Amino acid sequence: MNRFPEYFSQFQNISEFILLGLSYDQNIQAFCFVLFLVCYVALLAGNLLIFVSIRCSPLFHQPMYYFLSHLSLIDICYTSTVTPKFIADLLVERKTISYSNCMLQVFTMHFFGGIEIFVLTAMAFDRYAAICKPLHYVIVMNRTRCNLLVVAAWAGGAVHAFPLFSTAIGLPFCGPNEIDHYFCDIFPLLKVACTDTYVTGILVIAFSGLVALVTFIVLFVSYGIILFTLRNLSAEGRRKALSTCWSHITVVVLFFGPAIFIYLRPPTTFPEDKIFALFYTIIAPMFNPLIYTLRNSEMKNMMRKVWRHTLFSKETHN
């Protein structure tokens, strides 16, 4: 493990990068520190609450909530690859990250981000089966298939991340080491690499931008079919189905919109990228618990039962 930095040092001439962060203004940084610390705590608390509530209740055996528990876990892992360091850096004037940690951040961010994309796709497939194929739903979405979809999501995340990681560690860095971002990502790294990165940028677009775009189109078409099918349901069935579908659609737009804007374009960077990146690294994972529970009475009732039972058990034990 101690040889990790030494192994990668052969590919570059610098040992660390300087992150320029969101702003140079100290007052703005102090405000952002408080704001994003609150956001991160809310993100952790909300997603942990959903994860534990589902795992400790019968809802875990329903495919929709099974996938939702995995999404909450992935949200925690995904945002934790970037957010803690980002928040800590807001308190210091010189924001640095070692070369090895920078490469690790590139891998983990795209790995967990890829998993989130495919879990969202699995959730869309679950809603399609539930609404469009209700008579076959139990057979189509059995636990074995749900497990396979989750395994496929993790494998898909790895397939998505490894080419980008390999691209990053293959870049030579010999000049300026300032990255105009608050975390290490592939496009800002291409900007400071000591080589022609045009072809590499096209490959990055193929592995990131096109994956996000194709997945978004598939999800968009799936939910279009679902919404079209809802016209055949009763008013109550339509209301219940819409409450879950609109939640999923909101999450998909919050996550995919900014990601497509950043990764599906010529390999360059803009100051606005840092603002858009906040949506898929912090804001969307923070709002997921609210989006999935606010209009879901079944989830809210189960959370109350689980935590009421937990508190009652503690009082009885004491």
Side-chain angles (χ1 to χ4, degrees):
M1 182 63 69
N2 293 332
R3 294 179 59 83
F4 183 70
E6 297 176 9
Y7 174 77
F8 287 111
S9 64
Q10 60 181 304
F11 296 103
Q12 41 79 43
N13 295 323
I14 61 175
S15 59
E16 67 178 17
F17 292 101
I18 298 172
L19 300 172
L20 299 184
L22 282 179
S23 172
Y24 295 106
D25 191 307
Q26 293 297 320
N27 293 326
I28 293 177
Q29 290 194 64
F31 171 77
C32 288
F33 171 78
V34 175
L35 174 64
F36 291 115
L37 180 61
V38 171
C39 289
Y40 185 57
V41 171
L43 184 156
L44 292 178
N47 282 291
L48 277 173
L49 182 64
I50 286 184
F51 179 77
V52 174
S53 297
I54 293 175
R55 289 297 177 120
C56 296
S57 73
L59 290 179
F60 183 65
H61 301 290
Q62 297 183 30
M64 182 178 78
Y65 296 104
Y66 174 74
F67 291 129
L68 181 55
S69 69
H70 282 282
L71 181 66
S72 296
L73 179 62
I74 295 304
D75 273 340
I76 293 172
C77 296
Y78 174 61
T79 196
S80 294
T81 64
V82 171
T83 307
K85 176 165 177 52
F86 165 55
I87 293 173
D89 281 347
L90 290 169
L91 295 177
V92 298
E93 184 176 347
R94 191 171 185 269
K95 306 164 181 52
T96 62
I97 183 171
S98 68
Y99 176 85
S100 56
N101 285 339
C102 181
M103 296 301 110
L104 186 61
Q105 198 173 66
V106 170
F107 174 76
T108 53
M109 182 196 166
H110 286 281
F111 176 58
F112 289 116
I115 296 172
E116 177 141 351
I117 286 174
F118 295 117
V119 169
L120 288 171
T121 305
M123 294 175 76
F125 178 69
D126 169 70
R127 290 300 84 203
Y128 169 80
I131 295 171
C132 301
K133 308 287 182 181
L135 298 179
H136 302 94
Y137 178 68
V138 177
I139 298 174
V140 172
M141 296 304 296
N142 56 63
R143 182 42 61 97
T144 300
R145 181 158 293 166
C146 290
N147 289 334
L148 287 174
L149 286 172
V150 169
V151 171
W154 282 79
V159 170
H160 168 69
F162 271 111
L164 297 172
F165 175 65
S166 301
T167 298
I169 64 172
L171 292 173
F173 300 102
C174 53
N177 63 339
E178 291 185 344
I179 297 178
D180 189 15
H181 217 306
Y182 61 88
F183 65 91
C184 283
D185 201 5
I186 191 70
F187 277 170
L189 285 172
L190 289 178
K191 192 173 181 180
V192 297
C194 301
T195 185
D196 183 4
T197 59
Y198 178 77
V199 175
T200 305
I202 299 300
L203 293 176
V204 171
I205 292 173
F207 280 110
S208 282
L210 287 180
V211 168
L213 179 62
V214 170
T215 308
F216 179 75
I217 292 173
V218 169
L219 292 173
F220 183 83
V221 172
S222 299
Y223 283 116
I225 295 172
I226 290 170
L227 294 175
F228 181 77
T229 306
L230 290 179
R231 62 192 176 85
N232 299 321
L233 300 181
S234 64
E236 178 62 23
R238 194 182 302 118
R239 183 196 64 78
K240 186 175 180 181
L242 278 173
S243 68
T244 57
C245 284
W246 283 122
S247 299
H248 293 190
I249 292 170
T250 304
V251 170
V252 166
V253 171
L254 276 177
F255 185 84
F256 281 91
I260 290 173
F261 171 80
I262 289 178
Y263 293 109
L264 193 66
R265 69 175 192 222
T268 185
T269 58
F270 298 112
E272 295 80 9
D273 289 355
K274 291 181 278 188
I275 304 300
F276 279 97
L278 291 172
F279 278 90
Y280 58 81
T281 57
I282 301 175
I283 295 174
M286 179 185 68
F287 278 111
N288 280 0
L290 280 176
I291 291 169
Y292 281 113
T293 58
L294 203 58
R295 298 180 62 187
N296 190 327
S297 57
E298 188 177 30
M299 184 69 195
K300 287 189 287 188
N301 292 334
M302 186 54 64
M303 287 172 68
R304 279 194 289 266
K305 288 180 182 178
V306 168
W307 292 100
R308 190 181 298 127
H309 175 74
T310 303
L311 293 174
F312 179 76
S313 299
K314 285 185 177 180
E315 291 175 0
T316 304
H317 181 72
N318 293 334

